[in-house]
Amino acid sequence: MNPMPPHAAPEFDDAFRTRLHDLFGWRRDIRHFRTDALPDGTIERLIGIACLAPSVGLSQPWRFVIVDDPARRQAVLDNFTTCNAEALGACSDERASRYASLKLAGLREAPCHLAVFCERATEVGHGLGRRTMPEMADYSVVAAISTLWLAARAEGIGVGWVSILDPAVVALALGVPRDWRLIGYLCIGYPRAEDDRPELERVGWERRQPPGDHIVRR
């Protein structure tokens, strides 16, 4: 069998790389949303871009659930409220008041809710690359979320990843198969304000560390 012919790769110049760096810098976790709806077909198109992400063994284990039903949204919001109260209770006294002041989700305002699951048991990809590291399926879904996030930011659309949730409760509320694993619950919509610094840095919760602090050589 003849090998597949190579395709000519596009050339990305310095101007493109500069703009790409700007995109990375302005990709923020958004919690303050305007309530205006996204144009019809936007979320489906962004999901299509997300599916261009790499996946282990080409397994494509991502499963996207667009959450439109008000009752299901309310169930997720109720779970966030419960989990957030538990997290506040676990904070030390010196951190509790600061934690209580944080806005940690845009569940009420965001026009679009998107739950992203991983189906680890998918037969697509024939298990390649997952025997010793089955969690690679989860990481593939994270890559898809990151791809969607950047694509959304390029269109002026904000994304907020809500992690203060009980995955089992969310899965039950959304009625998905029991073997699907929740990876991310996303709020998506137009930001009320723009900033290239993380909100948690702006309010003094934490500071961004220099990249060199995270590099080890062996």
Side-chain angles (χ1 to χ4, degrees):
M1 180 181 296
N2 294 327
M4 294 178 62
H7 293 279
E11 293 188 14
F12 301 110
D13 60 15
D14 288 343
F16 175 86
R17 285 188 286 271
T18 297
R19 295 292 288 161
L20 182 61
H21 187 272
D22 290 342
L23 176 61
F24 293 151
W26 281 89
R27 183 227 51 82
R28 298 273 60 86
D29 189 70
I30 302 300
R31 301 179 182 90
H32 302 269
F33 292 92
R34 300 185 344 229
T35 56
D36 356 359
L38 297 174
D40 289 345
T42 298
I43 189 62
E44 292 84 359
R45 182 167 46 76
L46 291 174
I47 289 172
I49 296 171
C51 292
L52 297 175
S55 62
V56 62
L58 201 56
S59 56
Q60 304 149 77
W62 38 70
R63 305 292 180 261
F64 299 93
V65 180
I66 301 172
V67 187
D68 290 329
D69 181 73
R72 295 185 192 272
R73 285 193 179 202
Q74 186 61 49
V76 173
L77 176 58
D78 291 345
N79 183 243
F80 168 80
T81 302
T82 298
C83 293
N84 196 44
E86 293 171 352
L88 175 60
C91 283
S92 64
D93 290 342
E94 62 183 82
R95 280 281 180 180
S97 60
R98 182 169 290 183
Y99 183 95
S101 70
L102 298 175
K103 180 174 174 55
L104 297 174
L107 291 164
R108 294 185 186 278
E109 304 91 353
C112 180
H113 287 200
L114 181 67
V116 191
F117 292 83
C118 176
E119 185 180 358
R120 277 190 174 185
T122 180
E123 295 182 1
V124 177
H126 310 288
L128 180 65
R130 287 180 276 161
R131 183 175 180 275
T132 53
M133 294 183 66
E135 65 271 22
M136 286 299 297
D138 298 352
Y139 301 157
S140 300
V141 178
V142 172
I145 291 173
S146 182
T147 301
L148 180 148
W149 207 325
L150 290 168
R153 172 64 273 183
E155 298 186 23
I157 297 169
V159 177
W161 188 325
V162 185
S163 60
I164 307 174
L165 294 169
D166 183 325
V169 172
V170 173
L172 183 63
L174 300 185
V176 301
R178 295 182 63 180
D179 63 339
W180 286 16
R181 178 184 177 90
L182 179 67
I183 302 299
Y185 195 94
L186 309 178
C187 297
I188 303 175
Y190 294 108
R192 265 201 271 153
E194 302 279 13
D195 202 297
D196 63 347
R197 292 177 301 152
E199 182 171 344
L200 293 180
E201 184 176 52
R202 299 198 307 271
V203 301
W205 179 262
E206 187 54 273
R207 64 178 180 83
R208 184 181 291 281
Q209 299 173 347
D213 288 359
H214 306 284
I215 298 173
V216 177
R217 293 186 183 274
R218 291 287 188 263

